[in-house]
Amino acid sequence: MIAALGLLVGIALGLVFQPDVPLGLEPYLPIAVVAALDAVFGGLRAYLDGIFDDKVFVVSFVSNVVIAAAIVYLGDKLGVGGQLSTGVIVVLGIRIFSNVAAIRRHLFHA
């Protein structure tokens, strides 16, 4: 309940204040969103499996975002940012679809 309320408050604040993303951080925003989605779906899967731990979720959420952004930043510095961004998106996308498949199997007992 608290998480849903926090989500609603966050959405409302975002709509009211309409924050701008600094130009230098724009390339990292999609990567951070996909990394955060990976952590969220992993947390939902763990919850449905009965092994959810809030501390593990928070560490996973933050570390996913930081590591994904660091990989893309390193790629930018090496001149291969586009390729590493694609690699990060592909890996996290595979993890997201794997977690969603497990969630679906759990919900529909398939």
Side-chain angles (χ1 to χ4, degrees), residues 32-44 57 60-61 64 91-97 99:
V33 169
V34 172
L37 284 173
D38 174 48
V40 168
F41 282 113
L44 181 58
F57 173 73
S60 171
F61 187 91
N64 274 7
V91 169
L92 292 175
I94 291 170
R95 288 173 43 107
I96 289 170
F97 281 107
N99 283 329

Side-chain angles (χ1 to χ4, degrees), residues 52-70:
F52 180 79
D53 182 8
D54 55 346
K55 293 175 187 172
V56 172
F57 173 73
V58 170
V59 169
S60 171
F61 187 91
V62 172
S63 65
N64 274 7
V65 172
V66 169
I67 291 170

Side-chain angles (χ1 to χ4, degrees), residues 13-86:
L13 288 174
L15 291 173
V16 169
F17 291 111
Q18 297 181 351
D20 292 329
V21 177
L23 200 58
L25 296 179
E26 280 184 1
Y28 307 105
L29 184 62
I31 303 298
V33 169
V34 172
L37 284 173
D38 174 48
V40 168
F41 282 113
L44 181 58
R45 179 182 183 181
Y47 176 77
L48 292 174
D49 289 341
I51 57 171
F52 180 79
D53 182 8
D54 55 346
K55 293 175 187 172
V56 172
F57 173 73
V58 170
V59 169
S60 171
F61 187 91
V62 172
S63 65
N64 274 7
V65 172
V66 169
I67 291 170
I71 290 171
V72 174
Y73 176 78
L74 179 63
D76 285 344
K77 293 301 175 189
L78 295 172
V80 293
Q83 292 88 343
L84 282 180
S85 293
T86 302

